[in-house]
Amino acid sequence: MAMMKMKINGYRLRALLSTSLSSSPFHSVPSRTFSSSSFENVGFIGLGNMGSRMANNLLKAGYKMTVHDVNCNVMKKYSDMGVSTKQTPFEVAEASDVVITMLPSSSHVLNVYNGPDGLLQGGDLLTPQLFIDSSTIDPQTSRKLAVSVSNCILKEKKVWIHITYVENWENPVMLDAPVSGGVVAAEAGSLTFMVGGSEDVYLAAKSLLLSMGKNTIFCGGPGNGSVAKICNNLAMAISMLGLSEALALGQSLGITACTLTKIFNSSSARCWSSDSYNPVPGVMQGVPSSRNYSGGFASKLMAKDLNLAAASAEEVGQRCPLTFLAQNIYTEICNDGHETEDFSCVFQHYYSGKSKRN
């Protein structure tokens, strides 16, 4: 009888809202919306340069955290802070409503999910309602994992309350949500999340993501967050190469990098690499080029992302000549011993560009 009343009241409310909102061209009642109120226990796996800062911001936001990392010293640090630490990803999953992973590569992500004592080693029955992977990996892996997660069943059915009805949620779900902004933005809590998966689930997770960032962008279905990330970094790499090439050529022809930068930044050549991340030592303060290319986004990480872009292009048969050229250049930079330097070091180490004072 109680359930029947709930359904009747739900139908009445739905009809009422439909009538009240139909007159406005700016509002519509979504087909379904999940609540994020039960994302209280957050598991976090991967406490490196990015992950540790993201986890710290979740702690500041008041979430109850359970963490895991292969680095025992990092685990001790969090344990000393009073944060629950676990020895395996599976143990993290058992204690969490939602699990976030921030790992170096596709192979690491697959091992954490499918390996011994992995997140999915509970068989078909899982505790977490939601899995969020913020690693930069290939879209194919993101999509395969999303299917694997959705084929499982929650140990406890969750009731998601929408203003128009009540819905039982029986299966866990996954979002791929890589980030842009680097270590500085991770520290400041100003990351941008590029999210793939169900839009309803994205909306439910949005407040959680905004505890670690300032922007969230829904990119479409599973894997599309990963697509957005590798395309963003591909464009960033090609832009940096183009700018470095132009600046080095200008220097060789007798014009200073400072003068060229002023011209670029007030004309059609203006870009992020010229006005916010200039690769010429001495032209701009506070960027890696001003500190011998230390910090920033390592060339080895750019090479990894370009490998992902190149592999994805080959898989779909897309013609991408600049992708493969950029891949070769950054591979060469890494092989020459500059893999830990910021990716803007191509100006100096590939194009033999000079600093401002030379």
Side-chain angles (χ1 to χ4, degrees):
M1 180 65 71
M3 181 61 70
M4 183 176 295
K5 288 182 178 179
M6 181 183 293
K7 288 183 177 179
I8 292 172
N9 289 337
Y11 295 145
R12 288 174 178 170
L13 183 55
R14 182 183 299 184
L16 177 62
L17 285 168
S18 178
T19 301
S20 63
L21 294 177
S22 61
S23 60
S24 171
F26 303 108
H27 298 84
S28 62
V29 178
S31 57
R32 65 176 186 171
T33 300
F34 298 127
S35 165
S36 60
S37 60
S38 57
F39 296 158
E40 297 173 358
N41 300 304
V42 179
F44 206 107
I45 299 174
L47 301 167
N49 288 334
M50 294 292 293
S52 61
R53 290 163 171 82
M54 294 165 67
N56 291 344
N57 283 323
L58 288 171
L59 286 170
K60 292 175 185 177
Y63 288 98
K64 182 180 178 181
M65 301 286 292
T66 302
V67 302
H68 169 75
D69 193 271
V70 294
N71 188 323
C72 294
N73 292 329
V74 172
M75 292 273 278
K76 184 179 184 306
K77 172 187 172 183
Y78 278 89
S79 180
D80 291 344
M81 292 165 55
V83 178
S84 174
T85 60
K86 300 294 182 181
Q87 294 302 310
T88 68
F90 176 73
E91 292 176 279
V92 172
E94 289 294 284
S96 305
D97 301 313
V98 54
V99 176
I100 302 171
T101 48
M102 186 55 153
L103 301 162
S105 68
S106 299
S107 61
H108 292 91
V109 173
L110 287 171
N111 185 58
V112 163
Y113 272 84
N114 298 328
D117 297 316
L119 293 171
L120 303 186
Q121 287 308 298
D124 292 335
L125 296 176
L126 302 180
T127 299
Q129 308 153 39
L130 174 62
F131 296 85
I132 301 175
D133 181 40
S134 288
S135 316
T136 300
I137 63 175
D138 63 280
Q140 296 81 6
T141 296
S142 294
R143 287 165 179 159
K144 289 175 183 176
L145 283 175
V147 171
S148 296
V149 168
S150 66
N151 285 337
C152 297
I153 298 174
L154 289 172
K155 285 185 177 180
E156 296 182 11
K157 293 181 180 180
K158 306 297 179 179
V159 178
W160 296 93
I161 303 175
H162 184 272
I163 58 173
T164 59
Y165 59 90
V166 177
E167 176 175 342
N168 288 322
W169 196 17
E170 298 183 351
N171 303 98
V173 290
M174 184 175 184
L175 296 173
D176 48 285
V179 301
S180 178
V183 172
V184 173
E187 180 83 35
S190 58
L191 292 166
T192 292
F193 286 86
M194 296 159 269
V195 188
S198 162
E199 187 170 9
D200 294 329
V201 179
Y202 157 72
L203 292 173
K206 192 171 182 177
S207 62
L208 176 67
L209 297 177
L210 288 175
S211 296
M212 301 175 282
K214 66 176 182 180
N215 295 308
T216 64
I217 301 173
F218 180 64
C219 302
N224 278 14
S226 295
V227 171
K229 178 58 187 289
I230 63 173
C231 289
N232 179 79
N233 283 18
L234 168 61
M236 186 168 68
I238 292 173
S239 173
M240 181 59 74
L241 290 172
L243 178 73
S244 296
E245 189 168 302
L247 289 168
L249 176 60
Q251 286 181 332
S252 297
L253 294 174
I255 190 170
T256 68
C258 277
T259 300
L260 267 183
T261 296
K262 290 177 182 177
I263 293 169
F264 291 167
N265 289 344
S266 58
S267 66
S268 56
R270 184 174 187 172
C271 62
W272 177 81
S273 296
S274 69
D275 69 5
S276 300
Y277 213 81
N278 199 283
V280 182
V283 168
M284 183 178 293
Q285 296 303 308
V287 295
S289 62
S290 70
R291 49 180 186 267
N292 202 28
Y293 299 108
S294 64
F297 187 61
S299 293
K300 64 180 180 181
L301 297 178
M302 180 58 82
K304 183 206 80 170
D305 292 352
L306 289 169
N307 290 338
L308 294 175
S312 296
E314 286 187 326
E315 181 167 339
V316 297
Q318 176 63 45
R319 186 178 181 184
C320 295
L322 296 182
T323 298
F324 294 98
L325 179 58
Q327 179 190 31
N328 290 336
I329 290 174
Y330 275 100
T331 299
E332 181 179 329
I333 287 292
C334 292
N335 290 340
D336 288 344
H338 307 293
E339 67 273 8
T340 61
E341 295 178 34
D342 181 73
F343 79 107
S344 62
C345 76
V346 292
F347 170 76
Q348 193 169 83
H349 299 314
Y350 186 82
Y351 290 107
S352 301
K354 302 176 179 63
S355 65
K356 173 187 174 182
R357 56 185 173 274
N358 291 332

